[in-house]
Amino acid sequence: MGYKVAIVGATGNVGREMMQVLAEREFPIDEVVALASSRSQGTEIEFGDSGKMLKCKNLEHFDFTGWDIALFSAGGAIAKEYAPKAAAAGCVVIDNSSHYRMDPDVPLIVPEVNPDAIDGYAAKNIIANPNCSTAQLVVALKPLHDAAGIKRVVVSTYQSVSGAGKEGMDELFQQSRAIFVGDPVEPSKFTKQIAFNVIPHIDVFLDDGSTKEEWKMVVETKKILDPKIKLTATCVRVPVFVGHSEAVTIEFEREITAEQAQDILREAPGIMLVDKREDEGYITPVESVGDGATYISRVREDPTVENGINLWCVSDNLRKGAALNAVQIAELLGRRHLKKG
């Protein structure tokens, strides 16, 4: 016996990836429905590589009664309006937007890091999926925190344009082509030219000079992993289509060597350690595409602080940063609470 699963925002990058991951992982489904706005009603989307085509239905008129799980990937405004309606109908919502992440009654889950927190889902029947850059970071931090106690993290991100949706990917492609043929470049989705450039600005600016993306990494890491961890982030958009990278400096309470950190990471769930100190002995975003692992490379001791480690962290942001993590949450929910399949 399987689940009845609704995909909200099915026509977007992450929505399509959710369907691909559900199919790949053979999630136990009796019935699946693709939901989108009225603009996309009737659009056909393939479920994984099965050849099964789903015709999008209008979210506005959909009744969630009798459905088990709804995977939302349609932005905060849609989640604010429709997630409570789905939850009230008895359907558990797993939301990919930022709207519910810091709600104290909504668990914020990365299954490899804080699976027990899912037990609080019934307060609102909603579970939050973290920010893409946070998800891969906490997967890397968790086993090291357990081993040596993290005091402080400094992270600089190199985030792909797919984090800004299909419009971001289209803009990088169009600008790159325009530059090659000598046409003018006009930013639209991004604040400045993204082709052959980097932009130290993701989401809106806050009063303290940080951006909301940077704030998300701080508060979400504290909620998921440990409120005592101090974290500072600089988030940068780079001209890469898919795959987020992070340069991470970690200061620990207790002594830990680079070799010990490598041994810990090598055995940790969700992590693939690729760390040869030679040409090509590390992972770049291109190599992470289509994979669910969080890749760790360049593990080394930081001589500028006591008990410091530096590392390089790469993951497919559409997968572990969004679609895969949401499906893993659904799997965890099934094992612990819904008991089907």
Side-chain angles (χ1 to χ4, degrees):
M1 186 177 181
Y3 301 98
K4 294 179 69 175
V5 179
I7 312 294
V8 179
T11 58
N13 284 345
V14 175
R16 291 173 185 271
E17 199 71 24
M18 283 175 171
M19 290 193 287
Q20 182 71 32
V21 173
L22 285 166
E24 284 177 6
R25 295 175 71 89
E26 299 182 345
F27 187 81
I29 292 177
D30 276 352
E31 190 174 350
V32 61
V33 63
L35 300 174
S37 68
S38 57
R39 296 191 310 274
S40 300
Q41 185 174 352
T43 301
E44 289 196 339
I45 301 173
E46 186 177 9
F47 182 73
D49 297 321
S50 63
K52 178 181 179 180
M53 302 303 293
L54 302 178
K55 189 171 288 188
C56 279
K57 295 185 178 181
N58 190 342
L59 171 63
E60 185 180 346
H61 305 302
F62 188 75
D63 183 1
F64 286 92
T65 303
W67 291 80
D68 298 301
I69 299 170
L71 303 178
F72 271 64
S73 183
I78 297 296
K80 180 180 179 180
E81 182 176 357
Y82 291 99
K85 294 178 181 178
C91 180
V92 181
V93 172
I94 300 171
D95 179 38
N96 196 57
S97 80
S98 63
H99 185 74
Y100 292 101
R101 290 177 189 157
M102 299 316 297
D103 186 323
D105 293 325
V106 174
L108 180 63
I109 303 294
V110 176
E112 298 95 330
V113 178
N114 63 336
D116 292 345
I118 202 170
D119 296 342
Y121 84 95
K124 288 192 173 179
N125 238 23
I126 298 173
I127 303 165
N129 207 18
N131 188 38
C132 48
S133 51
T134 303
Q136 69 187 69
L137 177 66
V138 295
V139 169
L141 295 182
K142 166 65 173 174
L144 298 175
H145 184 50
D146 289 346
I150 293 174
K151 290 170 58 179
R152 180 172 182 259
V153 178
V154 180
V155 55
S156 298
T157 72
Y158 307 78
Q159 295 180 227
S160 65
V161 294
S162 57
K166 183 178 182 298
E167 292 176 345
M169 299 179 77
D170 289 346
E171 186 155 319
L172 173 57
F173 176 79
Q174 290 160 5
Q175 287 185 359
S176 299
R177 182 173 59 183
I179 289 169
F180 276 120
V181 300
D183 287 345
V185 172
E186 294 294 335
S188 175
K189 179 65 177 178
F190 301 113
T191 55
K192 296 198 176 190
Q193 175 185 316
I194 184 61
F196 305 97
N197 196 19
V198 299
I199 305 172
H201 175 196
I202 301 177
D203 213 323
V204 298
F205 276 98
L206 305 178
D207 289 342
D208 66 354
S210 64
T211 63
K212 193 173 181 183
E213 184 82 357
E214 292 155 358
W215 173 83
K216 288 175 192 173
M217 293 195 74
V218 173
V219 296
E220 291 177 18
T221 299
K222 287 175 176 288
K223 181 173 179 178
I224 295 167
L225 192 54
D226 189 334
K228 296 190 295 293
I229 291 176
K230 295 179 179 179
L231 186 145
T232 183
T234 300
C235 294
V236 182
R237 191 72 72 190
V238 298
V240 170
F241 283 106
V242 178
H244 286 358
S245 305
E246 297 170 351
V248 189
T249 295
I250 313 165
E251 186 178 352
F252 294 90
E253 294 173 356
R254 299 181 294 278
E255 183 178 357
I256 183 170
T257 65
E259 185 176 356
Q260 288 170 332
Q262 288 170 322
D263 290 342
I264 291 164
L265 293 165
R266 190 176 289 112
E267 301 300 322
I271 289 175
M272 183 70 70
L273 181 73
V274 180
D275 193 14
K276 300 174 183 177
R277 296 176 180 180
E278 59 189 40
D279 294 352
E280 301 184 18
Y282 45 84
I283 293 295
T284 63
V286 169
E287 295 152 285
S288 75
V289 175
D291 203 307
T294 295
Y295 287 93
I296 306 295
S297 307
R298 301 292 319 280
V299 179
R300 60 206 188 277
E301 290 161 30
D302 179 357
T304 68
V305 296
E306 190 174 0
N307 305 328
I309 293 289
N310 295 327
L311 57 82
W312 174 250
C313 175
V314 178
S315 189
D316 181 334
N317 56 294
L318 298 180
R319 290 231 157 190
K320 187 54 189 172
L324 172 61
N325 200 71
V327 174
Q328 287 177 307
I329 292 171
E331 292 169 344
L332 178 64
L333 180 70
R335 290 194 300 271
R336 293 179 76 120
H337 296 286
L338 300 187
K339 308 294 185 185
K340 287 187 182 180

